[in-house]
């Protein structure tokens, strides 16, 4: 993919263009008050505008608590948060506005060379903000059509950072916390570097740690994310040349998710530690007619996560040309994971709403599912070790291998790993795939499971080399149905072919 040179060059250009700006302004000089009570929106925006008129530079937010509503970044400005500084989002809905997209605390649209850096904090005060918005609905000041059963719809809740159609964006070292909705979104941007930031947002629903949509040349490195929804999420119809590396992620939903339905090409994910995650550690979901191709995952260290891999090709809706999605050329290697029996986020203040156990089923395997006549293509699992709790039994959920045809397709539904219900294997379930390789793959179950380790249905060109299965069961562990083109360098006594 030749991505390293591209990222390196883009980073140098970005840092150079920002660092050459010599001017420094301090928001105190424009009347900002660090008392946590005075609304400083006009003072901060005035400082941004004056600095922009002067050609750009560094805008310093010094130590203290600065309450503000929406502020708009301009080209060639580095919003620099000194250590001990806190930008506090207003808890009054009328203090927020939008540009071209979502309403947000920090906005930027069609700008160039913008940065948010330093060791300070941006606190959206999301829970209090949402409660105040909620009250507006109940006193008749907001339309109930924008209310989602128990809370204001996501469209009515501000994000913290909303960067749209910008080039050369740097977000570095800051702490971002307590969003009312998504924490930060980067839409239609080019040359984005997000480095060593700390995201701690479990304030309310939809607290995605980081959303990236329709962007090119993006690096996300050295970040720590604790989010009440997806950790790092690629959205939109396309994303190209993306690197996610050396991050630590907890999610009450999916740690790294492409979807639901996103397009993504030429993506590298390296050295990610994922822990205490309710849904999938890695979810690649291509269901809305877009391309998801050339994805390299190298180094996942996963602990206490309910599902390890969810690769899903669906047909929720075709694209504007009437085309179905693609999901192909996926390499996943150097992974070590353990799956718990009980829900992994029990110790957290906020837990994902809904079922405490997926559909009353047994623990789900790693999943690779295409759709009939339209296949996931060319998937490689190499140097992968997963430990499962085992203990699956027919009384909890009955889907033996002879009933594989009864596993629902659900190709038109919103994709999540548990929507298939009970699956007929405990290690890997593969369906509607052309070209899949398992090399140096080990799965273990701590207790006997009534299901086999592997179940493959409607699959071609299957390679297995050094596949290890550790479970207290002497029967067949690899079930093949409608499978052709096999190259199995394994103990053939483990294999059973269904007619």
């Amino acid at each position: 993919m030749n991505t390293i040179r591209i990222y390196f060059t883009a980073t140098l250009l970005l840092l150079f263009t920002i660092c050459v700006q010599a001017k420094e302004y301090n928001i105190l000089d424009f009347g900002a008050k660090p008392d946590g009570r005075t609304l400083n929106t006009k003072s901060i925006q005035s400082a941004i505008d004056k600095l922009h008129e002067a050609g750009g530079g560094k805008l310093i937010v010094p130590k203290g608590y600065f309450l503000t509503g929406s502020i708009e970044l301009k080209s060639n400005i580095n919003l620099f948060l000194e250590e001990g500084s806190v930008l506090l989002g207003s808890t009054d809905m009328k203090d927020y506005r939008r540009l071209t997209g979502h309403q947000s605390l920090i906005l930027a649209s069609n700008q160039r060379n913008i940065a948010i850096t330093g060791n300070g904090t941006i606190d959206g005060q999301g829970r209090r903000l949402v409660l105040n918005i909620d009250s507006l609905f109940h006193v008749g000041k907001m339309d109930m059509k924008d209310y989602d059963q128990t809370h204001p719809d996501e469209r009515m809740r501000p994000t913290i950072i909303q960067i749209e159609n910008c080039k050369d964006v740097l977000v570095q070292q800051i702490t971002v916390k307590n969003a009312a909705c998504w924490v930060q979104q980067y839409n239609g941007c080019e040359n984005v570097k997000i480095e060593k930031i700390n995201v701690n947002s479990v304030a309310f629903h939809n607290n995605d740690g980081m959303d990236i949509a329709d962007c090119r040349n993006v690096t996300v490195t050295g970040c720590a994310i604790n989010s009440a929804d997806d950790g790092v999420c690629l959205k939109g119809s396309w994303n190209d040349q993306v690197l996610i590396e050396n991050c630590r992620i907890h999610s009450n939903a999916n740690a790294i998710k492409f979807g639901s339905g996103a397009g993504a090409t030429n993506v590298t994910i390296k050295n990610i530690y994922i822990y205490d995650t309710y849904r999938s550690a890695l979810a690649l979901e291509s269901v809305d007619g877009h391309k998801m191709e050339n994805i390299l995952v190298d180094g996942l260290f996963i602990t206490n996560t309910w599902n390890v891999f969810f690769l899903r090709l669906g047909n929720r809706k075709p694209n504007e040309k009437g085309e179905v999605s693609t999901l192909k050329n996926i390499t996943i290697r150097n992974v070590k994971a353990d799956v718990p029996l009980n829900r992994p986020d029990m110790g957290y203040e906020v837990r994902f709403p809904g079922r405490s156990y997926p559909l009353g089923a047994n623990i789900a395997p790693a999943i690779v599912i295409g759709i009939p006549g339209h296949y996931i293509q060319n998937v490689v699992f190499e140097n992968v070790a997963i430990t499962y709790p085992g203990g699956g039994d027919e009384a909890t959920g009955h889907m033996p291998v002879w009933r594989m045809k009864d596993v629902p397709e659900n190709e038109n539904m919103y994709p999540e790993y548990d929507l298939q219900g009970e699956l007929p294997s405990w290690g890997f379930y593969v369906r509607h795939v052309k070209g899949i390789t398992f090399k140096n793959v080990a799965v273990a179950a701590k207790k006997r499971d009534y299901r086999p380790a592997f179940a493959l249905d409607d699959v071609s060109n299957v390679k297995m080399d050094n596949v290890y299965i550790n479970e207290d069961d002497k029967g067949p562990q690899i079930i093949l149905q409608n499978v052709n083109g096999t190259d199995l360098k394994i103990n053939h006594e483990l294999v059973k072919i269904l007619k």
Side-chain angles (χ1 to χ4, degrees), residues 326-384:
T326 63
L327 180 54
K328 66 181 182 180
N329 302 334
I330 313 296
T331 298
I332 299 172
R333 65 191 185 206
N334 300 321
V335 177
K336 186 174 183 180
D338 73 82
V339 176
L341 178 62
N342 298 312
R343 73 177 288 162
D345 58 349
M346 280 301 295
Y348 287 81
E349 177 185 0
V350 175
R351 295 182 297 278
F352 199 89
R355 300 174 297 272
S356 62
Y357 212 79
L359 295 176
N362 292 297
I363 290 294
I367 297 169
V368 185
I369 303 179
I371 56 180
H374 198 80
Y375 296 86
I376 295 176
Q377 299 178 55
N378 303 329
V379 179
V380 175
F381 293 100
E382 182 175 3
N383 300 331
V384 173

Side-chain angles (χ1 to χ4, degrees), residues 50-126:
K50 291 291 185 183
L51 187 57
H52 176 63
E53 292 171 4
K58 181 187 288 186
L59 180 61
I60 297 172
V61 180
K63 183 177 180 179
Y65 290 84
F66 296 90
L67 184 68
T68 182
S70 295
I71 57 175
E72 181 181 350
L73 286 182
K74 304 289 182 66
S75 293
N76 302 317
I77 289 179
N78 176 6
L79 182 64
F80 181 80
L81 282 68
E82 288 188 342
E83 188 170 358
S85 68
V86 181
L87 278 180
L88 285 174
S90 170
T91 59
D92 191 334
M93 183 64 180
K94 73 176 187 298
D95 294 328
Y96 290 87
R97 63 188 180 92
R98 70 185 77 235
L99 293 176
T100 60
H102 210 81
Q103 55 195 339
S104 186
L105 183 63
I106 298 178
L107 297 158
S109 178
N110 295 294
Q111 303 299 310
R112 189 159 194 160
N113 299 337
I114 59 173
I116 308 172
T117 66
N119 293 307
T121 298
I122 306 173
D123 185 345
Q125 301 197 95

Side-chain angles (χ1 to χ4, degrees), residues 245-289:
E245 184 174 21
N246 295 331
C247 295
R248 178 183 175 94
I249 303 173
H250 156 259
S251 167
N252 285 16
N254 304 284
I256 297 176
K257 175 180 173 179
F258 294 6
S260 50
T265 54
N266 305 314
V267 180
T268 300
I269 302 168
K270 295 184 66 177
N271 300 329
I272 309 295
Y273 175 60
I274 296 168
Y275 64 101
D276 298 355
T277 289
Y278 176 83
R279 285 188 168 171
S280 301
L282 175 68
L284 306 181
E285 304 169 356
S286 186
V287 301
D288 288 339

Side-chain angles (χ1 to χ4, degrees), residues 437-449:
T437 297
F438 297 93
K439 183 176 181 181
N440 300 328
V441 172
V443 294
K446 295 177 181 178
K447 293 183 178 180
R448 184 183 179 279
D449 197 300

Side-chain angles (χ1 to χ4, degrees), residues 13-77:
L13 289 172
L14 177 60
L15 293 176
F16 175 77
T17 52
I18 291 174
C19 290
V20 294
Q21 309 298 335
K23 297 181 180 62
E24 290 189 2
Y25 288 2
N26 191 309
I27 63 172
L28 294 177
D29 297 330
F30 291 81
K33 304 296 184 184
D35 57 16
R37 298 186 302 274
T38 303
L39 188 65
N40 292 294
T41 310
K42 291 182 179 179
S43 298
I44 298 173
Q45 191 62 56
S46 177
I48 291 171
D49 295 343
K50 291 291 185 183
L51 187 57
H52 176 63
E53 292 171 4
K58 181 187 288 186
L59 180 61
I60 297 172
V61 180
K63 183 177 180 179
Y65 290 84
F66 296 90
L67 184 68
T68 182
S70 295
I71 57 175
E72 181 181 350
L73 286 182
K74 304 289 182 66
S75 293
N76 302 317
I77 289 179

Side-chain angles (χ1 to χ4, degrees), residues 448-475:
R448 184 183 179 279
D449 197 300
Y450 82 97
R451 304 166 293 176
F454 289 77
L456 283 69
D457 183 15
D458 187 23
V459 181
S460 62
N461 299 325
V462 179
K463 296 181 180 180
M464 289 188 172
D465 187 0
N466 291 329
V467 172
Y468 301 93
I469 300 168
N470 186 356
E471 186 210 9
D472 185 21
D473 191 327
K474 305 302 181 184

